[in-house]
Structures are given as structure tokens and as C-alpha cells.
Amino acid sequence: MELHRIQNSFADAAERAYKAGYDGVELHGCHNYLISQFLNSRVNVRNDEYGENPALFALEIIREIRKRTPDSFIVGMRLGAFEPTLSDGIDHAKIFQAEGIDFLNISFGFMQLSDPFKPSDYPFTDLIYGAQEIRKQVLVPVFTVGEIISPEQADEILTATGIDIVDIGRGTLVNPNWANDARNGKDTGACIHCKICMWRINPEKCPGRIRYERNNK
Ligand code: SF4
């Protein structure tokens, strides 16, 4: 069955990472990727066991990785908060926690097939709201991400929400030493959120990086 071949490919990749000396892996369970296609009930219309239990595809991958790697090998999951609703995101988080996942890195984004939500007076993004609500429901470390551009903003989110870790994405494209610079009180630089991020095409033209390098000659 092709589905089992794909699950084995995930486990093969994790095993290779272990043998190469990595401490762990993060399975990508959101942003339209295959695991999230199973998890999102608006996409998964299968009428077999993988439709009846939308988490089964990922659970079997996790079990196979655990068979092939020692207990100390970290297995985390990037998980959608709204797949398709926050209530589903919380359910999925609990299911993966029960399976022994080591961390949950919360994001979301399934084209038009997710229902992002936050109360109107919530001070941060809907994504951070989703991660905060999931954090209240599980004991494993919860991370979040999304347009966090300064150490002060990161600190404010961590303090206010109880979320364990924030991921810095484009900030590290501007300055790969972002985290160390933040810890040492130095200028981290900042992504300026261009309409289209050109970094992957030509990092030399990244305006955030150009500004950072100019200010830190
Ligand atoms: S190209 Fe623009 S959006 Fe992309 S990392 Fe640089 S500053 Fe940020």
C-alpha cells in the first residue's frame, strides 16, 4: 500500500537523522503537507481506518520512528492550531501527547480550509492565541511562530501566554546569529516583511539583511 511506503519513508528519514548524529526530528503536520491532509477533516474524506481516525497516519509514523531510535531521540510535531478548528487542534495535540510526542510546534495554514480564531480583544495573532489555548491543555512543551521580529516582542509573548518557545523565522534569514544577539542584548536586525520575500531567490537583495549589515559593520 502506497500509504505505508510513505510512512516508512518518514521513519527512514528520522533514522538517517539519528544515525547522522541529530538529537531529534520534527514531523511537519501542518501547512498543507501530507500529515495535515490526513488531520484536516475538510480534506480527509477517506472511508477507511485513516478517515475514521485522522491522526492514525501520523501516529503510525511516530510508532515506527520510536521502534528505530532510542528513547532519548526527540520526536516533535509541527501542528496546526486550526485544522480545521481550534477544537480539532486541541484534540490533535492531546492525541499526540498521549503518544509521547516530545514537543508541539504550533502553526496553521491550510489554504481556505482552516478557521483561525481569536477573541477581538486578544493582543496577539490568532496563531499565538491557538498555541496559548493548546498550551493550557497539554503538558508537553509548546512552541509558536509568526511575524515575531524583535526580542522584546518575543519576550512579551512568552511572558503573557505561558507558551514555552517562540520560533524566529525570517529574523534568522536577516541575521543567522539572531538568538545569540538577542540573548547578549545586541542589535538582532529585523525582517521588514517585504510583500514577496526574495531571500530564497537572492539573499544578497534582502533589505533587512542589507540594513542589518550596514548598521553592524
Ligand atoms: S527579503 Fe524581506 S521579507 Fe524576506 S527576510 Fe528579507 S526583509 Fe524579510
Side-chain angles (χ1 to χ4, degrees):
M1 194 176 183
E2 188 184 12
L3 187 153
H4 294 140
R5 184 185 61 74
I6 295 169
Q7 288 175 308
N8 265 320
S9 295
F10 275 96
D12 289 346
E15 190 177 357
R16 278 196 298 275
Y18 167 65
K19 286 180 177 165
Y22 284 91
D23 298 311
V25 291
E26 177 183 273
L27 296 169
H28 204 320
C30 68
H31 298 164
N32 306 1
Y33 288 111
L34 188 58
I35 290 173
S36 63
Q37 293 176 28
F38 278 88
L39 290 173
N40 191 314
S41 58
R42 291 181 190 156
V43 181
N44 182 351
V45 291
R46 301 176 69 103
N47 53 17
D48 61 4
E49 58 190 322
Y50 294 92
E52 283 160 23
N53 177 0
L56 183 61
F57 179 74
L59 289 171
E60 289 180 342
I61 292 170
I62 295 166
R63 288 168 195 158
E64 187 60 27
I65 295 172
R66 292 296 192 203
K67 266 195 238 163
R68 300 196 204 179
T69 57
D71 290 350
S72 57
F73 190 69
I74 296 164
V75 181
M77 167 85 72
R78 191 143 204 210
L79 185 68
F82 311 106
E83 299 298 4
T85 68
L86 178 56
S87 162
D88 295 303
I90 290 170
D91 286 348
H92 297 151
K94 288 178 177 172
I95 288 168
F96 292 120
Q97 172 174 258
E99 191 61 32
I101 203 83
D102 291 308
F103 66 84
L104 294 167
N105 188 5
I106 303 299
S107 188
F108 85 97
F110 207 117
M111 295 193 259
Q112 306 309 316
L113 299 170
S114 299
D115 290 343
F117 167 79
K118 67 169 185 165
S120 56
D121 59 347
Y122 187 73
F124 308 116
T125 62
D126 42 19
L127 169 49
I128 292 169
Y129 178 73
Q132 180 175 352
E133 291 304 296
I134 288 172
R135 182 70 195 86
K136 289 178 190 166
Q137 304 284 337
V138 295
L139 297 171
V140 291
V142 168
F143 313 169
T144 194
V145 68
E147 299 183 20
I148 301 165
I149 61 168
S150 71
E152 295 75 20
Q153 189 188 8
D155 212 26
E156 187 187 357
I157 292 165
L158 291 169
T159 305
T161 64
I163 293 168
D164 300 283
I165 288 179
V166 288
D167 310 334
I168 306 299
R170 292 184 186 187
T172 59
L173 300 182
V174 167
N175 169 16
N177 207 35
W178 196 99
N180 284 330
D181 285 347
R183 185 170 54 189
N184 296 325
K186 293 183 177 170
D187 177 18
T188 56
C191 167
I192 59 168
H193 293 287
C194 312
K195 214 167 185 184
I196 297 173
C197 178
M198 295 299 290
W199 194 91
R200 286 179 188 81
I201 299 165
N202 188 353
E204 303 295 318
K205 292 204 168 155
C206 162
R209 177 178 279 206
I210 291 168
R211 189 168 65 178
Y212 170 75
E213 288 177 348
R214 192 177 53 230
N215 291 342
N216 291 278
K217 269 185 185 160

